[in-house]
Amino acid sequence: MREDITIATALFSLCPTATFQVEDDVVSWNSNLPQPTSTEITAEVTRLQAEYDSQEYARSRKQEYDKLPQFEMQ
């Protein structure tokens, strides 16, 4: 199960209090905060995707543990 990190996700990570819209990968910045550059946004998308991908094992293990009856876990 792969999740692709979006530009909006990266912008929320970089500027959590900013207001903006993203449509067809075009950002409409509605904030007084400085807008991140496209290089910064791309780097953040890459960083967040790598972080998400690195947790694949943990997510799959959790699904397996959730299938076990709880009395076996005690």
Side-chain angles (χ1 to χ4, degrees):
M1 158 171 50
R2 179 174 165 86
E3 177 181 311
D4 289 324
I5 302 299
T6 64
I7 291 173
T9 305
L11 286 170
F12 279 124
S13 175
L14 291 168
C15 305
T17 60
T19 55
F20 58 87
Q21 288 183 300
V22 180
E23 191 171 322
D24 297 327
D25 293 339
V26 176
V27 178
S28 298
W29 197 253
N30 303 323
S31 183
N32 292 331
L33 299 171
Q35 181 176 351
T37 65
S38 61
T39 302
E40 292 170 326
I41 295 169
T42 301
E44 187 67 1
V45 167
T46 302
R47 184 189 75 77
L48 291 171
Q49 189 67 59
E51 183 178 313
Y52 180 84
D53 292 346
S54 73
Q55 296 298 314
E56 178 63 31
Y57 177 77
R59 285 190 302 277
S60 66
R61 292 301 302 154
K62 181 180 179 335
Q63 290 174 356
E64 292 301 316
Y65 283 128
D66 289 346
K67 292 178 186 176
L68 293 174
Q70 290 301 310
F71 67 89
E72 290 182 16
M73 300 294 288
Q74 296 177 349

